Amino acid sequence: MSDKMRQKAQILDKEGIRRALVRIAHEIIERNKGTEKIALIGIQRRGVPLANRLSGYIREIENKEIPVGVLDITLYRDDLTTLAHQPILRRTEVPFPVKNQKIVLVDDVIYTGRTIRAAMDAIMDLGRPNIIQLAVLVDRGHRELPIRADYIGKSTPTSSKEIVAVRLQEIDGQEGVFILGEG
Amino acid sequence: MVQKKNLIGLEHIDAHEIELILDTAVAMKEIVSRPVRKVPTLRGRTITNLFYEPSTRTRTSFELAAKFLNADVINISSSASSVVKGESLKDTVRTIEAMGTDVVIIRHPMAGAANLLTGWIEASVVNAGDGAHEHPTQGLLDLFTVREKKGVLNGLKIVIVGDILHSRVARSDIWGFLKMGASVSVCGPATMMPVGVERTGAAVSCSIDEAIKDADVIIMLRIQLERQKAGLFPSLREYARLFGLNSERLSLAKRDALVMHPGPMNRGIEISGEVADSLQSVINEQVTNGVAVRMAVLYLLAGGGDA
């Protein structure tokens, strides 16, 4: 992130993030008619705490434990050589078989769609799920692939020059979704 | 961050880079343990195994590592190539590069061969053993295996026993373990100890019983049976008696000491069959970890930067 980027707006605060996730938890249960065979997979890094929180909210609502996996998609990206000097791999840990499961992928922001495409490739290499759904906290538009989210916390039209910064307690020590821009 | 384009030895890379390779190998090991061991990371890249010496495990390990990352792999052995027609090393690698290879993995009987290549070609060069110089990926997989089992490297006592003079594995292990904060002792017959080895920072001993006392890790090196003809030690039986690792000797080390061997083993000479198959032996895990470590190296050299 450039030093010139300044905070232009806050689109979600702590309470807003909580409400959005609780609503998504309800929607996941409703659309899947319960929690049978549902598993969540968070995309590194901020998708992981979001998936853990969603699992917690679903447990509060349905009193059912939903397994959570962690996925690093670095090795599946189609822009690897342009990821100059940041080839750091993080952990992938999906401690349950994905075969015949209903997998809900969880990420913080959906933008071009390339990360999600890579994540779907990565999941397919682990097995053949019955269905893959996508939950994101923020949809900021500008898709480059025909991919859409099933569950969206907040849709926010942005300029491609702006950055949507999601900050979560578990990683950043603060909560909020911000739009950053130059000048 | 690995700034370098090549991996020639562990002498000239720093602890931070070693750490990155080991951390990357953790992620790679998860892929190796999957039912479908394949990721698309190096799709479209070509990796050439150029082996001027016979090898089964190292070449296969590099080949699998490249294939798990979806690279195309070409295997060239000197006996089945134009090398037998008298083609020079320089012409051979330039030909390979002209065909569009991204990484050349070279094993050569001459120390310094891998380093020479880096001046001739643009492709990344990985040293898979050059003479008695270094074998960096074996050193890295040894570091990885010990870190995985012990949790840390810093502060451990590592003992390397055998023909230190002719061992490229020993050299890479010495550099690697010392850089990561472990202490290293080398032990072997005086005729197989390189002059000035103590300048690396390793302690030297000619008594295995003394050397392995309180050791956390014992790395046994293969006695190259052809060396025996050179008269560097009187007989294999005497070598086994003075420097072989058996259960009785192993009890001098820490109770949870790891036993390692780069393979192939001469059972009954440098290591007893009982020790090789004991619970303390991690020899088979070294082989599995070798693939993960080589995947990490190929990824960092060919996938991460502008290879």
Side-chain angles (χ1 to χ4, degrees):
Chain A
M1 194 183 309
S2 152
D3 291 341
K4 289 181 202 157
M5 288 294 188
R6 106 187 142 74
Q7 192 175 308
K8 288 167 80 172
Q10 178 168 15
I11 55 174
L12 284 173
D13 59 6
K14 186 178 177 186
E15 183 54 23
I17 292 175
R18 191 193 67 80
R19 270 199 219 110
L21 291 175
V22 169
R23 178 168 47 75
I24 290 174
H26 279 287
E27 286 175 7
I28 290 173
I29 297 162
E30 193 179 327
R31 182 183 295 207
N32 294 290
K33 301 182 177 65
T35 55
E36 184 81 4
K37 290 189 170 181
I38 287 185
L40 304 176
I41 293 182
I43 299 176
Q44 291 270 29
R45 288 175 78 204
R46 288 178 181 75
V48 178
L50 292 177
N52 283 324
R53 290 187 198 181
L54 278 173
S55 172
Y57 293 135
I58 293 173
R59 187 178 52 228
E60 280 173 21
I61 300 161
E62 288 284 279
N63 202 20
K64 291 271 171 57
E65 206 59 52
I66 304 295
V68 179
V70 169
L71 192 68
D72 178 280
I73 52 102
T74 313
L75 294 171
Y76 289 82
R77 290 185 68 143
D78 57 5
D79 55 352
L80 195 64
T81 53
T82 60
L83 284 176
H85 311 306
Q86 281 299 337
I88 294 170
L89 296 189
R90 300 184 195 280
R91 193 168 53 103
T92 288
E93 201 175 334
V94 179
F96 46 83
V98 301
K99 191 179 172 193
N100 297 331
Q101 294 289 302
K102 297 176 186 170
I103 300 295
V104 182
L105 262 176
V106 183
D107 206 359
D108 55 350
V109 179
I110 183 165
Y111 183 31
T112 61
R114 288 178 194 270
T115 298
I116 305 303
R117 186 204 67 88
M120 289 193 287
D121 280 352
I123 288 176
M124 294 298 188
D125 277 356
L126 298 174
R128 188 182 183 281
N130 265 349
I131 188 167
I132 298 178
Q133 298 170 349
L134 174 62
V136 295
L137 186 60
V138 180
D139 181 349
R140 61 168 295 192
H142 304 283
R143 216 74 82 237
E144 292 169 5
L145 297 171
I147 287 173
R148 62 165 184 82
D150 300 279
Y151 314 102
I152 299 166
K154 188 165 181 73
S155 289
T156 306
T158 56
S159 146
S160 55
K161 288 178 187 152
E162 291 168 332
I163 287 176
V164 175
V166 174
R167 302 212 174 103
L168 300 174
Q169 197 65 41
E170 296 91 326
I171 291 172
D172 311 288
Q174 65 172 129
E175 290 275 307
V177 178
F178 305 91
I179 294 183
L180 311 180
E182 279 185 33
Chain B
M1 236 136 286
V2 173
Q3 301 290 354
K4 297 179 178 69
K5 193 173 114 235
N6 310 302
L7 179 66
I8 305 304
L10 299 190
E11 184 180 358
H12 299 294
I13 68 173
D14 59 33
H16 180 70
E17 289 170 311
I18 291 175
E19 192 99 42
L20 174 65
I21 296 171
L22 301 185
D23 289 346
T24 306
V26 174
M28 295 300 179
K29 191 164 179 182
E30 184 271 325
I31 294 164
V32 175
S33 66
R34 288 183 193 175
V36 180
R37 293 176 290 183
K38 205 91 171 162
V39 288
T41 315
L42 296 186
R43 190 166 44 199
R45 302 293 170 97
T46 304
I47 290 171
T48 303
N49 274 320
L50 179 59
F51 275 58
Y52 282 78
E53 273 184 356
S55 160
T56 310
R57 71 189 65 212
T58 305
R59 191 191 57 72
T60 316
S61 180
F62 269 113
E63 184 171 350
L64 274 180
K67 285 182 169 168
F68 288 169
L69 292 171
N70 234 313
D72 295 313
V73 185
I74 296 166
N75 289 307
I76 299 174
S77 65
S78 56
S79 59
S81 70
S82 288
V83 173
V84 292
K85 300 177 188 169
E87 189 179 48
S88 72
L89 176 61
K90 191 173 186 174
D91 286 338
T92 303
V93 292
R94 284 206 165 151
T95 305
I96 293 166
E97 183 168 64
M99 290 175 181
T101 197
D102 299 289
V103 181
V104 176
I105 296 159
I106 181 166
R107 167 165 289 194
H108 200 280
M110 191 180 79
N115 196 40
L116 267 178
L117 254 60
T118 62
W120 295 335
I121 54 173
E122 282 301 310
S124 291
V125 177
V126 179
N127 183 7
D130 59 335
H133 174 227
E134 279 219 48
H135 191 354
T137 53
Q138 176 72 40
L140 289 165
L141 78 88
D142 287 348
L143 294 170
F144 180 84
T145 306
V146 173
R147 194 181 78 161
E148 189 179 50
K149 291 285 169 191
K150 297 284 183 188
V152 289
L153 291 169
N154 191 26
L156 295 182
K157 180 179 176 184
I158 316 289
V159 182
I160 307 171
V161 183
D163 182 357
I164 310 294
L165 179 64
H166 298 98
S167 174
R168 47 199 177 205
V169 176
R171 275 177 190 68
S172 290
D173 275 344
I174 291 171
W175 292 121
F177 280 109
L178 286 174
K179 284 185 182 193
M180 300 312 283
S183 74
V184 178
S185 303
V186 291
C187 172
T191 48
M192 292 180 152
M193 199 56 73
V195 176
V197 66
E198 61 283 348
R199 282 201 294 272
T200 59
V204 182
S205 171
C206 286
S207 157
I208 184 172
D209 292 346
E210 203 177 276
I212 65 175
K213 198 165 174 293
D214 297 326
D216 294 291
V217 177
I218 306 166
I219 300 172
M220 301 304 295
L221 299 174
R222 183 172 71 94
I223 278 298
Q224 290 162 290
L225 298 176
E226 58 276 18
R227 305 265 181 240
Q228 209 258 329
K229 298 187 191 102
L232 294 172
F233 55 93
S235 72
L236 289 174
R237 183 180 291 184
E238 184 182 297
Y239 183 88
R241 192 166 55 80
L242 291 177
F243 293 100
L245 186 63
N246 51 37
S247 304
E248 197 185 325
R249 236 171 216 154
L250 182 56
S251 66
L252 297 170
K254 284 195 182 151
R255 283 185 62 173
D256 60 348
L258 301 178
V259 175
M260 302 172 73
H261 192 300
M265 287 183 278
N266 297 305
R267 284 173 182 257
I269 301 177
E270 70 264 6
I271 189 165
S272 74
E274 199 186 352
V275 170
D277 299 329
S278 71
L279 290 173
Q280 283 171 263
S281 161
V282 291
I283 294 168
N284 286 330
E285 281 156 282
Q286 285 176 271
V287 179
T288 307
N289 290 341
V291 178
V293 163
R294 290 177 177 116
M295 286 170 78
V297 168
L298 293 177
Y299 165 68
L300 290 168
L301 294 181
D306 305 320

